[in-house]
Amino acid sequence: MTERLSAEARRQALGELPGWTEAQGREAIGKTFVFKDFNEAFGFMTRAALVAEKMDHHPEWRNVYKTVEVVLSTHDAGGVTALDIELAKAMNAIAKLTP
Ligand code: HBI
């Protein structure tokens, strides 16, 4: 099983993840993405979903119109692992490609 990151390791990883922060009240990381419209937001979710499925590592997310709120944690580990960092990086890359 992928190991939980320490607080220091989480802090370091977040330093390389623009827009991502520690979630409130739980060991997780989160980011709110805002797109041009619903079409772009859903396109982002579609692409991110394919990456998540390939990783067998899935986000907790909420979409309202052009906004996508994402929270990542590794349920099996009860905290943040390298899988969450990897998926966050992939989401940032996908969002960059989204006009
Ligand atoms: N996604 N975020 C997250 N955390 C998990 O522990 C997790 C997952 N997706 C699939 C998954 N675990 C499976 O590997 C296990 O439920 C078997």
Side-chain angles (χ1 to χ4, degrees):
M1 177 186 68
T2 317
E3 292 309 306
R4 272 176 65 222
L5 297 180
S6 66
E8 177 54 26
R10 269 200 320 272
R11 199 188 57 75
Q12 288 227 332
L14 285 172
E16 294 161 26
L17 282 171
W20 289 84
T21 59
E22 299 266 8
Q24 298 300 316
R26 58 179 286 204
E27 241 183 64
I29 57 172
K31 178 172 182 176
T32 298
F33 293 86
V34 181
F35 296 94
K36 183 167 64 73
D37 53 27
F38 174 76
N39 187 289
E40 296 300 343
F42 198 76
F44 163 81
M45 294 179 80
T46 303
R47 296 188 66 178
L50 295 180
V51 173
E53 191 56 14
K54 195 166 172 202
M55 289 177 63
D56 189 27
H57 192 72
H58 304 86
E60 301 159 42
W61 49 8
R62 179 172 181 268
N63 161 242
V64 177
Y65 180 47
K66 63 181 181 176
T67 299
V68 181
E69 294 169 13
V70 183
V71 175
L72 301 178
S73 76
T74 303
H75 311 136
D76 296 349
V80 177
T81 69
L83 290 169
D84 300 304
I85 305 305
E86 182 184 344
L87 184 52
K89 282 188 175 138
M91 285 183 163
N92 273 6
I94 292 165
K96 266 206 173 41
L97 299 174
T98 307

